[in-house]
Amino acid sequence: METVENVVIVGAACAGYTSAIYTARAFLKPLVIVGDIDGGQLSQTSDVENFPGFPEGIQGPELMQKFRAQAERFGARIETGSVTKVDFRTRPFSLTIDEERTVRANSVIIATGASARWLNLPGETRLKGKGVSACATCDGFFFRGKELAVVGGGDSAMEEATFLTRFASKVTIIHRRAEFRATRVMVERAKANPKIAFLFDRVVDEVLGEARVDGLRLRHAKTGEVSTFPCQGLFLGLGHEPNTAVFRGQIDLDEAGFVVCPKWSWTSIEGVFAAGDVRDPRYKQAVSAAGSGCEAAIDCERWLAEHHAG
C-alpha cells in the first residue's frame, strides 16, 4: 500500500522548522524537505541580534541548528532534496524530489522563502557578512558611524538607504541609470534626507577589500570611465525573489511571484498552506517567518482534523 504523509513541509528555515515543530508536537509526523540550503538565508548570516531569546546574539547557522534539533526532538523527519515538481490538482498531492521519487501527502506547507537578488560580482560572495548585506533591517546596527553604499533604483533601494541613515554617517545610492524607477514618494523622502547622496549612471564592477569591504570599483555606464568609491559597507537594494517557480500554475501567485493567501495561511488550494518569506514581500524577518510557520502549522492541523480524521 502506498504511504501517504500527513503533511510535507517544503523548506527548512525559520518558517519551515517552526511548522515542523508545531506539526510534530501535534503527532502529525511531518516530513521536511530541506532544499538546497538547510536553514535558508540565516544559515549564511553571521551575527543575529534581533531574534528574541538571545540577548547576547547568536550566529545564524547555530540558530538554524537549534531550530532543526528542536523539530527532530519532537519527531519531524528531515530529508535533503529539492522539490522539482508538484501536482496539487489530485489528492493526495504529489511532490517529486530531485526528479527521482514521488512523495504523496494529504497536506503541504510551502516554506521555500525568498532569495535576495545579488550582483554576482568578484568579492561579493567572499565578503558576505563582512560588509556586504542584502538586509538593512538585519545588519544596519553593525554599521554605526560608517559610510555605506546601496545599489539599486527601486523602492527597495530607497527603503534600505533611508533605514541605514539611522546608523551610518553617510549613505550613497548607486544606480546604473539616470533616473530611479522607485515611486515618487520614496525618491522624495530619500532626497530630503541630508545623509543620503546619489551616484547615477554607475555600475558596480567589483567589491573591494580583504577582511572587510573597503570600497567599490565603479564604471560609468555611458563613458566607461572606471573609478574607486571608498565605503565600509555595501547593501543590495535590488529586492527579493520568492522561491516559487515549481509552484507556478499550481497555486495562485501575485505578479512578483509571492504566494497569495486569501485566508490566513491558506493558499488557493485547500490543504496547501504557505509560511514565511514566500508569502511575505513586506517584513522579511526571521521572527515574522517563524510566527507565520506557527500559523501555517495550526491551520494545517485543524484542516487535517476536519478532512482526514483518523
Side-chain angles (χ1 to χ4, degrees), residues 121-140:
L121 297 172
E124 182 186 51
T125 300
R126 178 173 55 84
L127 292 170
K128 281 182 184 177
K130 299 174 182 178
V132 175
S133 173
C135 182
T137 309
C138 310
D139 300 328

Side-chain angles (χ1 to χ4, degrees), residues 8-186:
V8 171
I9 300 168
V10 186
C14 288
Y17 278 137
T18 302
S19 292
I21 291 166
Y22 273 78
T23 52
R25 291 184 76 250
F27 304 108
L28 295 177
K29 300 179 180 178
L31 174 63
V32 182
I33 308 299
V34 168
D36 294 332
I37 303 175
D38 189 2
Q41 294 184 65
L42 270 189
S43 67
Q44 299 177 312
T45 302
S46 53
D47 298 307
V48 179
E49 293 195 332
N50 57 1
F51 199 89
F54 298 94
E56 304 302 323
I58 185 171
Q59 294 289 300
E62 183 185 358
L63 179 61
M64 286 295 88
Q65 288 169 8
K66 289 179 180 293
F67 269 66
R68 175 169 177 152
Q70 191 170 357
E72 289 179 313
R73 174 193 167 199
F74 292 115
R77 293 161 298 135
I78 298 170
E79 179 178 325
T80 300
S82 295
V83 175
T84 52
K85 182 180 179 182
V86 300
D87 185 356
F88 295 154
R89 293 166 294 188
T90 58
R91 297 176 189 272
F93 305 126
S94 69
L95 302 92
T96 302
I97 313 299
D98 292 329
E99 300 183 354
E100 294 178 352
R101 73 182 192 90
T102 299
V103 174
R104 306 280 181 185
N106 289 323
S107 65
V108 174
I109 296 176
I110 298 170
T112 47
S115 300
R117 295 187 179 97
W118 297 88
L119 294 169
N120 298 316
L121 297 172
E124 182 186 51
T125 300
R126 178 173 55 84
L127 292 170
K128 281 182 184 177
K130 299 174 182 178
V132 175
S133 173
C135 182
T137 309
C138 310
D139 300 328
F141 179 81
F142 301 112
F143 292 86
R144 287 168 292 181
K146 305 295 186 181
E147 293 194 12
L148 306 176
V150 173
V151 177
D155 283 354
S156 293
M158 303 301 134
E159 289 174 4
E160 296 280 288
T162 301
F163 182 85
L164 287 169
T165 58
R166 301 182 186 184
F167 312 100
S169 59
K170 181 180 179 181
V171 179
T172 301
I173 299 177
I174 301 172
H175 186 40
R176 60 182 177 175
R177 297 189 176 92
E179 294 183 1
F180 292 122
R181 53 183 173 80
T183 55
R184 182 175 178 179
V185 63
M186 295 300 296

